[in-house]
Amino acid sequence: MRRTEPGGRSCSFGHGSRRRLFGHGPRRFVGGLRVRLVVTFVVVALLSAVTATALAYRDARTAVLQRTQNTAVNDLRERVGAVAADFDMPPDQRGLARFASKVSEGIGARTVVARYQDLSATSDPLADPDNRITAELRAAVRTGDGARFQRVEWRGGPYLVVGVPVVYADADRGTSGLEVFAVTDLRAERDDTAALLDSVRAGIVPVVALAAVLALLAAGTVLRPVRKLGRATRELAAGDLGSRVTVRGHDELADLARTFNDSADALQASDAELRAQEAKARRFVADVSHELRTPLAAMTMVATVLEEDADQLPPDAAHAARTVGAETARLSLLVDDLMEISRFDAGAVRLNESVTDLADTVRASLALRGWTDRVEAELAEGVRAVVDRRRVDVIVANLVGNALRHGAPPVTVTLAVEGRQWVALEVADHGPGLPPEARERVFDRFYKADAARTRDTDDHGGGQGSGLGMAIALENARLHGGTIEVAQRPQGGAVFTLRLPMGTGEGGEG
């Protein structure tokens, strides 16, 4: 059977009540992996439920309408054939009305319209079926030789209109010109499919809720080992090289846990090896320095005697004697500095703290090395702090000696109180200063800011340095809980600032 669709009319029902389940654009969900997993599960479940609902609605609606239209077509065709066998042609108005009534009685609660040329009769005059029979359907029935049907909507309700032409028993005579139309109300079928849609739609909520619960369970199963792995990673980063995770199963997460444990084992082995090598290196430096002290003491005595008698020696021998004395003194200083660095590395350095007047300590350090006339000192009086006086003297000697050797006069030393808890000692010079890359590495051991400088500052001033003076100064500052900062003066020159906590000492005027 061919289906005729009228122009300008709706051929289906129920679409007007369809709701938009996704009325907004996609939203960005921000959260952890658990949130993303749950959202993904819920979205997939929701899409699956909506798709299943749409498919179920479409199939149910198609099945109901197909069954209804097949029943209507078959009933009308059989009933018209039965009634038309005893019907006299051509009919009058009364006979046409009886024909419509008899056909209607045999096909149930359907309104039947019979047409013959200009005559028309209906089984139910109050039904007004003419408005539901379109011109397209009439033309299709008039020109065809079989049943035709069409779904129309009238006054908000769906209807199925079936039309058949009455043909003579003798096929050569063709159609009789009598046309019969049956109008079937489809509102009951529409309500049935709508009820089915509502019931399926109501099942979406428990399906989504169940999906959320399953997602939470799945997320917990997946994230539990991930959390353990993250905790072990944080412990490993914090220095606990013995941190491991328990491996369970043979999935990808288990493989990840095994890889983490293997990496941690390798890291722990490497760390142990490096620590052992570092300890050996420290012991080696300490042992060498210790073993050198005795021969150096003898060499120093000999060099001192040679320097005292240098004026009585020939010029070349005198120069050699003075050079040996200077190099011996530098070597002795280097050994002392190496011993000091070794103690810092081994954590064997302890402070001998006491309440100390810092201004007196700085003046004594400058006077001991003969720098009083070469340095401008601006020292706040009465500044007292709990420090190790000897180590503060070492810091001052290195900072001022560095400024005198590599800077340009005048060199200024300023002591002041910062706030209530800190004291600052600033050593500035008027030389070329330090480039940025040198400022970043000036406290490195054996670092030379200028390749032309073959000697660094020393711990005690006067002679040439060991190359460890600034590193020792920083270690001493850190031992007090302080620090040393280096910067470039706007007017030119470098400025080193020592900051120390005052401890329980009482600060004077700043």
Side-chain angles (χ1 to χ4, degrees):
M1 288 180 287
R2 182 168 59 88
R3 175 177 173 180
T4 303
E5 299 291 347
R9 289 179 181 261
S10 173
C11 299
S12 61
F13 58 85
H15 298 289
S17 62
R18 184 181 300 169
R19 298 179 182 176
R20 293 188 63 190
L21 299 179
F22 302 99
H24 302 282
R27 296 181 179 179
R28 187 183 299 275
F29 291 92
V30 180
L33 183 58
R34 178 188 296 272
V35 175
R36 293 197 292 271
L37 283 175
V38 172
V39 169
T40 301
F41 268 78
V42 171
V43 169
V44 170
L46 185 60
L47 290 176
S48 301
V50 170
T51 303
T53 299
L55 293 176
Y57 172 75
R58 185 196 65 181
D59 293 343
R61 175 178 173 274
T62 301
V64 169
L65 292 178
Q66 189 70 34
R67 185 183 66 249
T68 301
Q69 74 184 22
N70 290 341
T71 300
V73 170
N74 292 334
D75 290 349
L76 181 60
R77 185 189 294 115
E78 293 175 0
R79 185 60 181 171
V80 168
V83 176
D86 299 330
F87 187 67
D88 297 330
M89 293 293 293
D92 55 12
Q93 182 65 40
R94 181 177 297 180
L96 195 61
R98 287 197 306 268
F99 180 83
S101 298
K102 288 182 179 182
V103 173
S104 177
E105 292 172 358
I107 59 176
R110 297 187 180 97
T111 302
V112 175
V113 177
R115 290 180 175 274
Y116 181 79
Q117 296 181 357
D118 294 335
L119 299 178
S120 177
T122 179
S123 61
D124 185 5
L126 300 179
D128 191 18
D130 289 338
N131 292 328
R132 281 164 281 183
I133 303 174
T134 64
E136 294 89 344
L137 182 59
R138 292 172 184 167
V141 172
R142 184 178 303 114
T143 59
D145 56 357
R148 300 290 186 271
F149 67 90
Q150 185 181 46
R151 288 195 297 271
V152 299
E153 191 164 324
W154 181 67
R155 293 183 179 178
Y159 293 89
L160 175 66
V161 181
V162 181
V164 295
V166 178
V167 298
Y168 291 106
D170 186 359
D172 295 336
R173 299 178 61 184
T175 60
S176 64
L178 179 60
E179 302 164 0
V180 183
F181 299 91
V183 180
T184 303
D185 192 348
L186 295 180
R187 285 178 291 186
E189 286 75 7
R190 180 193 61 183
D191 295 341
D192 291 342
T193 53
L196 176 61
L197 178 63
D198 292 338
S199 62
V200 175
R201 185 185 299 159
I204 293 179
V205 175
V207 168
V208 172
L210 179 61
V213 173
L214 293 177
L216 288 173
L217 296 177
T221 303
V222 174
L223 295 181
R224 191 176 297 110
V226 174
R227 286 196 299 269
K228 293 180 180 178
L229 185 60
R231 182 167 56 251
T233 303
R234 289 190 295 271
E235 293 173 354
L236 192 67
D240 183 9
L241 299 183
S243 178
R244 300 292 186 274
V245 292
T246 304
V247 180
R248 292 188 177 89
H250 302 280
D251 55 7
E252 289 79 1
L253 291 175
D255 293 340
L256 181 60
R258 291 190 190 93
T259 302
F260 172 82
N261 289 341
D262 294 341
S263 301
D265 291 339
L267 180 61
Q268 189 173 26
S270 300
D271 179 75
E273 183 178 356
L274 289 175
R275 288 179 183 274
Q277 293 178 355
E278 184 180 6
K280 290 180 181 179
R282 290 174 180 172
R283 285 196 301 270
F284 175 78
V285 172
D287 293 342
V288 169
S289 301
H290 185 270
E291 293 297 327
L292 286 175
R293 299 189 73 169
T294 300
L296 275 176
M299 291 173 61
T300 301
M301 288 188 296
V302 173
T304 301
V305 173
L306 290 175
E307 284 186 296
E308 290 176 353
D309 297 336
D311 294 338
Q312 302 175 8
L313 299 174
D316 292 342
H319 177 71
R322 293 188 181 93
T323 301
V324 169
E327 291 301 320
T328 301
R330 194 180 78 83
L331 184 58
S332 178
L333 178 62
L334 175 60
V335 170
D336 291 339
D337 287 346
L338 287 175
M339 292 290 293
E340 185 74 358
I341 285 292
S342 298
R343 286 193 291 269
F344 277 117
D345 291 341
V349 179
R350 297 292 181 269
L351 291 177
N352 184 18
E353 295 179 314
S354 62
V355 179
T356 303
D357 189 310
L358 294 181
D360 290 343
T361 301
V362 173
R363 277 193 291 265
S365 180
L366 298 178
L368 178 64
R369 293 161 179 83
W371 292 340
T372 304
D373 296 336
R374 300 173 59 187
V375 176
E376 298 179 3
E378 300 177 5
L379 308 177
E381 299 296 335
V383 179
R384 302 171 67 83
V386 179
V387 296
D388 187 326
R389 182 186 181 97
R390 185 184 70 84
R391 296 191 178 278
V392 172
D393 173 74
V394 171
I395 297 173
V396 173
N398 277 285
L399 295 181
V400 176
N402 184 73
L404 290 173
R405 181 171 178 78
H406 300 301
V411 175
T412 60
V413 178
T414 305
L415 176 67
V417 176
E418 291 185 349
R420 296 184 177 181
Q421 301 296 328
W422 293 86
V423 59
L425 179 69
E426 183 180 283
V427 179
D429 64 71
H430 291 73
L434 292 171
E437 61 274 11
R439 292 199 294 269
E440 294 177 359
R441 300 187 56 195
V442 69
F443 296 105
D444 292 351
R445 299 174 184 182
F446 298 107
Y447 175 71
K448 299 293 190 294
D450 189 343
R453 297 173 183 172
T454 59
R455 298 291 184 266
D456 195 1
T457 187
D458 60 88
D459 291 299
H460 310 292
Q464 293 175 335
S466 64
L468 297 172
M470 299 305 292
I472 292 176
L474 181 60
E475 292 290 349
N476 279 303
R478 289 174 175 172
L479 200 62
H480 285 85
T483 185
I484 301 178
E485 299 174 356
V486 58
Q488 188 81 357
R489 297 177 69 250
Q491 304 89 338
V495 55
F496 289 82
T497 303
L498 166 68
R499 288 185 173 85
L500 297 174
M502 299 181 66
T504 57
E506 297 180 358
E509 57 183 0

